[in-house]
Amino acid sequence: MDFPRRVARPMFTHMSNTTGPRLTRSVEDYLKAVYSLTEREESASTSALAEALDVQPASVTGMVKRLAECGYLEHTRYHGTRLTEAGSREALRIIRRHRILETYLYTHLGYSWDDVHQEAERLEHAASDTLIDRMAAILEHPSHDPHGAPIPTPSGEIERPECVTLNEVALGLAVQIRSVPDEDPARLRYLETLGLVPGARITVRERAPFDGPTTVSVETRVNAEVIGSDLADGIFVIPVPGR
Ligand SMILES: [Zn+2]
């Protein structure tokens, strides 16, 4: 029989004590990136993955091929890359670790919401599922992280609320911020100074055409704030509950 002779970098590091083999850090980062790119789109393109992971498109092509062989990804030339069921399960495990870590650092270790992400990016690859489950128990099984993102359950269920971005909200409609992007500390600090944090109730007052700025009023504040469309695009909102 003819086995492929490629000397592959290992895909697995060690056996985790709860569920199957642990993936390498780079595999985990790929699955997570495909997950987040396919949250709003059907599939992830090679160029989008290369940008998200800060690597060359050629290395994305190679890794995607290997992960498809392992059953984690589905890739077709015209339809891009998607997670398989196994890939999605792994991605949600990593996302759970990341979001529980962020919540723990924020709630119990005095971290601010703008510096938990970088710490969680490192720790998510090292923490065992047992450690994460113990943290989750101490946190009384939180449903969302400090940035408002839903935390998957241990069995991989995740809330998928009907969110729209602030750019898609009708003028004059009161909405509540559900989540904000967590990667950029400066952006988080800025959003905080504007009062644009998860749970805040806001109304879009005005939106300039051609990707121009949006004027929003925050329920607890007197003055309206003006933000660019790039900032508004990352802010996910839901209808105000109970209205
Ligand atoms: Zn994060």
Side-chain angles (χ1 to χ4, degrees), residues 98 102 117 120-121 145 147 182:
H98 182 97
E102 285 191 340
H117 176 78
E121 282 286 288
D145 74 15
H147 315 106
D182 66 350

Side-chain angles (χ1 to χ4, degrees), residues 23-38:
L23 303 168
T24 62
R25 177 177 186 142
S26 130
V27 171
E28 291 184 337
D29 284 339
Y30 265 79
L31 297 181
K32 212 167 59 154
V34 177
Y35 185 93
S36 69
L37 287 168
T38 53

Side-chain angles (χ1 to χ4, degrees), residues 170-175 201-206 215-219:
L171 298 187
L173 184 72
V175 290
R201 292 179 176 193
I202 58 174
T203 306
V204 176
R205 296 292 172 200
E206 223 181 307
T215 308
V216 290
S217 56
V218 181
E219 203 175 79

